[in-house]
């Protein structure tokens, strides 16, 4: 019975870590979108890339979300980012970093 409780607790912790989404602490680039506005919290984006991402945010009506790039150049997008624009955003941030 105690093993079952431990497994359930581990599952709950993993679920909340998964739901949390991208993290700024282990990213070379971290972009947060709040109320349709983009804020680069970590790293650097060129003005051209900022403008292109801002246009996508506006055109796709993205109200909130996160975009993170790891040191291994792996891009993580939060679930709030629509599927139809994810690859374009990946291309922009990877070209810029």
């Amino acid at each position: 019975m105690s093993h079952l409780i431990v497994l359930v607790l581990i599952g709950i912790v993993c679920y909340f870590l998964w739901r949390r989404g991208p993290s700024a602490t282990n990213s070379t680039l971290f972009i947060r979108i709040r109320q349709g506005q983009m804020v680069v919290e970590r790293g650097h984006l060129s003005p051209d890339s900022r403008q292109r991402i801002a246009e996508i945010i506006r055109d796709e009506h993205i109200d909130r979300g996160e975009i993170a790039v790891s040191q291994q150049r792996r891009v993580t997008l939060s679930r709030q980012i629509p599927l139809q624009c994810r690859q374009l955003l990946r291309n922009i941030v990877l070209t810029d970093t």
Side-chain angles (χ1 to χ4, degrees), residues 2-84:
S2 65
H3 291 334
L4 179 63
I5 292 171
V6 170
L7 288 174
V8 168
L9 289 175
I10 290 172
I12 291 170
V13 168
C14 289
Y15 172 76
F16 281 106
L17 288 174
W18 172 76
R19 282 200 35 106
R20 200 177 82 193
S23 169
T25 58
N26 59 357
S27 302
T28 57
L29 174 66
F30 188 79
I31 302 167
R32 188 176 310 272
I33 303 165
R34 292 290 179 258
Q35 298 178 344
Q37 299 298 313
M38 172 184 66
V39 176
V40 178
E41 293 189 359
R42 183 176 213 158
H44 173 74
L45 267 181
S46 69
D48 182 51
S49 293
R50 283 178 187 258
Q51 180 180 356
R52 292 174 63 200
I53 292 172
E55 289 172 2
I56 293 169
I57 291 169
R58 184 188 66 242
D59 293 346
E60 295 294 331
H61 308 289
I62 302 170
D63 187 49
R64 59 180 297 138
E66 289 89 22
I67 304 168
V69 181
S70 70
Q71 290 179 349
Q72 296 80 22
R73 296 179 46 87
R74 182 173 181 200
V75 179
T76 307
L77 301 150
S78 65
R79 295 178 304 148
Q80 295 90 350
I81 308 289
L83 294 175
Q84 66 267 19

